[in-house]
Amino acid sequence: MRETLRYLLGLAGPSGFGSSVTAEQVSQDIYSSNPRNLTAIITGSSFISLSSKICMIIDHFVWFECCLTTGATSGIGAETARVLAKRGLKLVIPARDLKRAAEVKAWIQEETPDAEIFLMEMDLSSFASIQRFCSAFLSLRLPLNILINNAGKYCKKLQFTKDKFEMTFATNYLGHYLLTENLLERMIETSERTGTEGRIINVSSVIHTWVKRKRFKFSDMLNPEEYNGTVAYAQSKLANILHAKEIARRLRERNAKLTINALHPGIVKTGIIRDHKGLITDSMFFLAARLLKSTPQGAATTCYVALSPQLVGVSGKYFADCNESSCSNLANNEIAAQILWRKSHSLVLNHVLQMKKET
């Protein structure tokens, strides 16, 4: 109840920031001290889907969550990219739709003409596409300081990827798992060479708290017998947090100067909410509108976790409203995190090896 009240009032937490802060505000003081030669990758996509209305009961309040497909070419991903570019970071934006990515690049450079932005093709639902992107990026020999696993997908109906995995889980979790694995050594090498701590950010969601242990079965998430879009989305977001927990543990064992954290960006007001206003009663929309964040506010926690000097050495944590927050008991389960990582590693490795044989 206390956290809900703090959210509604926009009160600052221990970090000095709260739910009402924007990405520009949270990164403003960092501008002068942050090295201007940092390179960041922000995953993106260009398709947008809206779930049927999802009522989330949190601390006795009803929230409407938009389960959006977002990335660096739309929504909070684009706002994150804009602010990071404004703060002097070099950006690499992998996107499925390069035309849409080019529009976002032009939009960013209208404000920051000297922003360095590389656009590269990648479809997070395809292992082959991820492999091609990573090979192309690594061949550029660029440093990599920050990896923001931001893109996400919601599918109302059951869909499968070309690799024959359920679309939501494959895009939101497996794709980011493979991407992170492929780029991890470059990030560690960059941090060792430059002395600057690297950071990985997994964008998750508070909806992960919906998942119960008995529903979190790896084989079922890959190929569910019964499909519920909201459950699949929640499972993928729980997997994002468990991924951060396990990678953080492995990085600590290596004494790597690299951290990984997960976060909930908030429930963000978008054009889709406005377009579907007719589907919601006026009274409920009036309530929901006061609980939703603006896009600049939705990007704040990502920019905070990516750039804040307060978080040096902080790893394996979960953030909301620019402050460390609590996640579900299952999300904190170290054994579940290790099991998920091992099964993911085996699946991805075998699939990539099979692709190499076929080519």
Side-chain angles (χ1 to χ4, degrees):
M1 187 66 180
R2 183 180 300 176
E3 289 187 1
T4 302
L5 185 61
R6 176 182 290 170
Y7 173 86
L8 292 172
L9 297 176
L11 299 177
S15 69
F17 302 111
S19 62
S20 63
V21 73
T22 67
E24 282 204 34
Q25 291 170 336
V26 83
S27 62
Q28 190 168 15
D29 293 339
I30 299 170
Y31 183 75
S32 60
S33 60
N34 188 57
R36 293 180 61 83
N37 59 349
L38 299 182
T39 300
I41 290 178
I42 309 176
T43 63
S45 54
S46 58
F47 43 91
I48 299 180
S49 303
L50 178 70
S51 72
S52 57
K53 298 188 294 290
I54 301 173
C55 294
M56 302 186 64
I57 302 176
I58 304 174
D59 293 334
H60 310 294
F61 283 89
V62 178
W63 289 27
F64 287 93
E65 173 156 352
C66 294
C67 292
L68 298 176
T69 297
T70 57
T73 60
S74 62
I76 62 173
E79 176 66 7
T80 300
R82 182 188 72 82
V83 172
L84 293 185
K86 187 173 183 177
R87 300 310 181 215
L89 276 73
K90 182 183 300 182
L91 302 182
V92 177
I93 299 179
R96 196 176 74 164
D97 187 339
L98 290 178
K99 180 180 179 181
R100 171 61 181 151
E103 292 172 354
V104 172
K105 177 180 178 178
W107 171 67
I108 292 173
Q109 289 182 329
E110 284 181 5
E111 179 183 21
T112 311
D114 60 345
E116 289 189 77
I117 305 173
F118 297 84
L119 306 180
M120 303 178 71
E121 187 174 9
M122 185 182 75
D123 180 353
L124 266 173
S125 70
S126 167
F127 285 176
S129 180
I130 295 168
Q131 291 291 96
R132 287 194 296 270
F133 164 77
C134 290
S135 295
F137 172 77
L138 293 174
S139 69
L140 296 176
R141 301 190 180 280
L142 290 172
L144 182 55
N145 306 94
I146 298 170
L147 171 62
I148 301 177
N149 291 321
N150 170 79
K153 183 171 180 63
Y154 170 87
C155 297
K156 185 176 180 180
K157 296 181 179 180
L158 178 61
Q159 298 180 42
F160 289 94
T161 67
K162 293 180 180 179
D163 300 309
K164 300 180 180 179
F165 303 127
E166 189 278 313
M167 180 67 76
T168 300
F169 188 70
T171 304
N172 296 357
Y173 169 66
L174 288 177
H176 284 130
Y177 175 92
L178 177 58
L179 181 69
T180 302
E181 286 295 299
N182 282 342
L183 299 177
L184 202 61
E185 294 306 317
R186 173 59 56 87
M187 296 193 74
I188 292 173
E189 182 273 330
T190 298
S191 66
E192 291 176 346
R193 180 171 51 82
T194 63
T196 301
E197 179 183 85
R199 297 187 181 182
I200 303 170
I201 295 94
N202 284 358
V203 178
S204 180
S205 169
V206 70
I207 201 175
H208 81 273
T209 59
W210 283 21
V211 183
K212 305 301 180 184
R213 183 65 180 262
K214 63 181 180 180
R215 295 297 301 270
F216 197 69
K217 296 180 180 179
F218 192 71
S219 59
D220 290 347
M221 291 185 286
L222 295 176
N223 188 9
E225 292 184 4
E226 297 181 1
Y227 182 77
N228 180 293
T230 304
V231 171
Y233 183 81
Q235 289 170 332
S236 71
K237 292 303 176 179
L238 171 61
N240 291 149
I241 300 175
L242 290 170
H243 177 234
K245 299 279 186 181
E246 176 60 11
I247 296 297
R249 186 186 69 82
R250 291 173 173 270
L251 290 172
R252 283 193 293 268
E253 287 183 347
R254 296 180 61 174
N255 292 319
K257 197 171 185 178
L258 176 63
T259 65
I260 178 169
N261 291 290
L263 62 87
H264 168 54
I267 304 171
V268 180
K269 186 189 309 180
T270 70
I272 288 181
I273 284 287
R274 293 189 294 273
D275 292 342
H276 288 72
K277 184 178 178 180
L279 300 177
I280 308 173
T281 65
D282 290 342
S283 59
M284 292 305 294
F285 184 83
F286 179 83
L287 173 63
R290 278 144 183 79
L291 295 172
L292 301 177
K293 289 186 175 185
S294 67
T295 302
Q297 290 170 337
T301 303
T302 302
C303 289
Y304 172 74
V305 177
L307 298 176
S308 175
Q310 297 179 17
L311 299 186
V312 172
V314 176
S315 194
K317 303 299 182 181
Y318 175 74
F319 291 83
D321 300 328
C322 300
N323 286 275
E324 187 177 334
S325 186
S326 58
C327 50
S328 70
N329 290 335
L330 182 52
N332 276 321
N333 190 309
E334 294 183 3
I335 301 302
Q338 292 176 29
I339 291 173
L340 178 65
W341 187 93
R342 287 198 298 268
K343 289 184 176 181
S344 303
H345 181 75
S346 178
L347 174 77
V348 170
L349 181 62
N350 289 337
H351 207 80
V352 170
L353 289 175
Q354 184 61 37
M355 286 192 302
K356 291 182 178 179
K357 289 181 181 178
E358 292 175 354
T359 57

